[in-house]
Amino acid sequence: MTVIDVKKDPEALSLAISSRFEAPPQRVWRIWADPRQLERWWGPPTYPATVVDHDLAPGGSVTYFMTGPEGDKHYGWWRVRTVDVPHRLEFEDGFADDSGRPNLDLPTTIVRVQLTADGESATVMTIESTFPSSEAMEQMVSMGMVEGMSEALGQIEALLAGAPA
């Protein structure tokens, strides 16, 4: 199993999921930086992602949609806040309507990704989401955020083991 730790902190309004991969941080970084690689793991296996726009620079944005088993589409967006290649990424993450406009009826989160070398050839990746309120946190958890992220993260090892990138 790729996920090594899940920490839910209601006081800090945060949820952190850590995973360990047999690849150095520079390689793991590329699963975020390359939109075609991001598509291969962002979202559970039954909801593959299609990245529409991908500007992973401070002030940039990423837009995407996930397609469900019945062909249903679920849209999302990121507003990139900070980037420190290949160690750290921070972005605002939200849901969107079919035209890509932010859906303000659902909460947004601040996502902080940290890649830390674990020895010579491995990486621990921690994805921490911070919520605007305890209600928003509970809403996202009840929607299956932990399970969905765990399933998505479970796809990365095969991606890293595949063709060099």
Side-chain angles (χ1 to χ4, degrees), residues 37-91:
Q37 291 185 51
L38 183 62
E39 287 177 334
R40 292 182 54 199
W41 73 272
W42 187 255
T46 55
Y47 283 82
T50 300
V51 176
V52 179
D53 296 302
H54 187 273
D55 179 6
L56 207 64
S61 65
V62 174
T63 59
Y64 63 92
F65 61 88
M66 292 185 222
T67 305
E70 305 299 319
D72 47 315
K73 293 187 178 175
H74 306 272
Y75 294 81
W77 55 269
W78 301 349
R79 285 192 192 107
V80 181
R81 296 166 58 138
T82 60
V83 178
D84 177 15
V85 178
H87 306 290
R88 191 167 169 272
L89 170 65
E90 182 177 310
F91 56 92

Side-chain angles (χ1 to χ4, degrees), residues 4 10-11 16 23 40 54 57-58 79 118 120 126 137-138 145-146 150 160-162 164:
I4 58 173
E11 289 181 17
R40 292 182 54 199
H54 187 273
R79 285 192 192 107
D118 185 14
E120 294 280 321
T126 300
M137 183 174 180
E138 285 310 312
M145 182 176 183
V146 173
S150 296
L160 293 172

Side-chain angles (χ1 to χ4, degrees), residues 21-144:
F21 303 104
E22 292 297 327
Q26 295 82 356
R27 173 62 186 101
V28 177
W29 177 262
R30 288 195 291 269
I31 68 168
W32 294 93
D34 177 350
R36 303 297 72 91
Q37 291 185 51
L38 183 62
E39 287 177 334
R40 292 182 54 199
W41 73 272
W42 187 255
T46 55
Y47 283 82
T50 300
V51 176
V52 179
D53 296 302
H54 187 273
D55 179 6
L56 207 64
S61 65
V62 174
T63 59
Y64 63 92
F65 61 88
M66 292 185 222
T67 305
E70 305 299 319
D72 47 315
K73 293 187 178 175
H74 306 272
Y75 294 81
W77 55 269
W78 301 349
R79 285 192 192 107
V80 181
R81 296 166 58 138
T82 60
V83 178
D84 177 15
V85 178
H87 306 290
R88 191 167 169 272
L89 170 65
E90 182 177 310
F91 56 92
E92 184 179 3
D93 182 19
F95 294 91
D97 63 20
D98 324 9
S99 64
R101 287 187 304 268
N103 179 345
L104 304 178
D105 294 332
L106 292 168
T108 61
T109 58
I110 301 301
V111 177
R112 291 175 190 86
V113 179
Q114 182 73 43
L115 303 178
T116 306
D118 185 14
E120 294 280 321
S121 61
T123 301
V124 173
M125 177 170 72
T126 300
I127 302 174
E128 179 185 41
S129 299
T130 304
F131 303 86
S133 67
S134 58
E135 294 79 19
M137 183 174 180
E138 285 310 312
Q139 179 182 11
M140 295 297 291
V141 169
S142 71
M143 289 171 65

Side-chain angles (χ1 to χ4, degrees), residues 4-27:
I4 58 173
D5 192 30
V6 177
K7 288 185 180 148
K8 183 177 169 188
D9 185 344
E11 289 181 17
L13 300 175
S14 69
L15 174 68
I17 301 175
S18 296
S19 306
R20 185 178 185 280
F21 303 104
E22 292 297 327
Q26 295 82 356
R27 173 62 186 101

